[in-house]
């Protein structure tokens, strides 16, 4: 079960903690992968750890031309295209009254607008194939909101609504479009939290621990597989019970 042999996927944000876990899990399931991100050296280091069926495609998500060509470039390298995992994202936190227009636009552009552009280009390929999988990584704060993250929460909520809308448009072409909304996951993003902040968070998580990148990646693998062929427009919450 949950094998991806013969399937070809583009994964963005592949050099981050969750991204690397997604790459590992999908590669072990025998997918061919194009891994993308801004840090070329990190991507090449990941690719060197694997013998074959992995290609590196750096991309600046603020560069519209690069974003619009990323799917085509992945299709050329892999000689085919079956799906997309949009995992790339940034934070630029701040309270509303202090948040600049620049911080708002940068987070929306990278997290939401680039995801829209990649989904659009991916669907052009997948509709022709009459098969496809798209998994967009959102966040728990896209469902709950979070003080100090107006821009990030808006971008992640937008991903959820956008994904549901796309799912309705392409379902008749055997294309599924789903989201994963991780809670607090052990990554570099959460490493900056103080012990006091971590304790407060853990006190509110029924499982009393943060999640792992591998646990998020397991959800991606399921949604990308044939076993999830009747699941679309869904938001898979991976948060230890923090939000139900």
């Amino acid at each position: 079960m949950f094998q991806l042999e013969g399937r070809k996927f583009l994964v963005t944000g592949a050099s981050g903690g969750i991204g690397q876990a997604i790459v590992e899990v999908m590669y072990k399931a025998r997918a061919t992968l194009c891994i993308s991100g801004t840090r070329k050296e990190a991507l090449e280091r990941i690719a060197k750890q694997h013998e074959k069926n992995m290609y590196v495609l750096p991309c600046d998500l603020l560069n519209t031309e690069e974003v619009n060509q990323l799917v085509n470039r992945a299709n050329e390298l892999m000689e085919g295209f079956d799906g997309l995992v949009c995992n790339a994202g940034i934070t630029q936190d701040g309270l509303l009254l202090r948040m600049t227009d620049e911080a708002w636009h940068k987070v929306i552009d990278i997290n939401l607008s680039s995801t829209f552009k990649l989904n659009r280009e991916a669907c052009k390929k997948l509709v022709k194939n009459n098969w496809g999988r798209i998994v967009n990584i959102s966040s728990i704060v896209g469902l709950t909101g979070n003080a100090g993250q107006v821009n990030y929460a808006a971008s992640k909520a937008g991903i959820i609504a956008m994904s549901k809308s796309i799912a309705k448009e392409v379902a008749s072409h055997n294309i599924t479009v789903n989201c994963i909304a991780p809670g607090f996951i052990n990554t570099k993003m959460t490493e900056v939290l103080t012990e006091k902040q971590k304790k407060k968070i853990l006190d509110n998580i029924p499982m009393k621990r943060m999640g792992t990148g591998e646990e998020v990646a397991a959800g991606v693998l399921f949604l990308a597989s044939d076993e999830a062929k009747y699941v679309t427009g869904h938001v898979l919450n991976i948060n230890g019970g923090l939000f139900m």
Side-chain angles (χ1 to χ4, degrees):
M1 293 180 72
F2 311 138
Q3 289 300 301
L4 301 175
E5 189 167 7
R7 298 300 187 189
K8 300 170 181 181
F9 283 84
L10 168 63
V11 181
T12 69
S15 60
I18 293 175
Q20 287 189 48
I22 291 170
V23 168
E24 288 300 320
V25 165
M26 295 184 77
Y27 188 81
K28 287 178 181 177
R30 300 183 179 180
T32 295
L33 301 174
C34 259
I35 59 174
S36 185
T38 55
R39 296 182 294 159
K40 184 178 180 180
E41 290 182 1
L43 295 172
E44 289 178 341
R45 188 164 57 249
I46 294 167
K48 284 180 182 177
Q49 296 170 1
H50 305 84
E51 294 181 3
K52 58 181 180 178
N53 296 334
M54 190 173 294
Y55 303 89
V56 170
L57 274 178
C59 180
D60 176 4
L61 293 180
L62 288 174
N63 186 316
T64 296
E65 186 176 345
E66 285 189 20
V67 174
N68 286 341
Q69 288 302 313
L70 190 59
V71 168
N72 284 332
R73 291 171 63 201
N75 180 68
E76 290 171 3
L77 279 175
M78 296 187 293
E79 297 182 348
F81 185 84
D82 296 300
L84 169 69
V85 180
C86 282
N87 172 64
I90 65 164
T91 58
Q92 286 203 350
D93 297 346
L95 294 173
L96 172 66
L97 298 183
R98 298 175 185 170
M99 185 170 289
T100 64
D101 288 354
E102 182 184 4
W104 168 267
H105 287 297
K106 188 171 183 180
V107 170
I108 294 296
D109 286 348
I110 289 179
N111 294 5
L112 180 58
S113 296
S114 69
T115 300
F116 156 72
K117 293 168 188 174
L118 290 169
N119 275 238
R120 178 182 61 192
E121 297 308 308
C123 284
K124 290 177 183 177
K125 300 287 184 193
L126 301 178
V127 165
K128 290 180 181 178
N129 297 345
N130 205 43
W131 192 96
R133 298 283 183 270
I134 295 176
V135 183
N136 294 318
I137 306 301
S138 180
S139 168
I140 186 173
V141 303
L143 296 163
T144 64
N146 194 34
Q149 288 192 309
V150 170
N151 50 1
Y152 185 74
S155 71
K156 293 300 185 176
I159 285 173
I160 290 172
M162 180 188 71
S163 299
K164 289 175 178 286
S165 299
I166 297 171
K168 290 185 177 184
E169 292 187 18
V170 300
S172 63
H173 296 280
N174 296 311
I175 302 167
T176 66
V177 184
N178 293 289
C179 287
I180 289 180
F184 287 94
I185 308 298
N186 273 320
T187 65
K188 287 184 178 179
M189 269 192 189
T190 55
E191 283 177 5
V192 300
L193 297 171
T194 65
E195 290 303 315
K196 185 178 179 180
Q197 288 172 323
K198 287 181 181 179
K199 184 181 184 304
K200 185 177 180 180
I201 291 166
L202 294 178
D203 285 344
N204 290 315
I205 300 174
M207 288 190 173
K208 301 302 178 187
R209 69 173 178 86
M210 290 192 184
T212 67
E214 289 73 20
E215 287 167 329
V216 176
V220 173
L221 176 61
F222 166 65
L223 293 174
S225 71
D226 283 335
E227 282 76 12
K229 62 187 176 183
Y230 202 57
V231 179
T232 196
H234 181 66
V235 182
L236 178 59
N237 294 305
I238 301 178
N239 60 36
L242 180 58
F243 174 75
M244 299 185 187

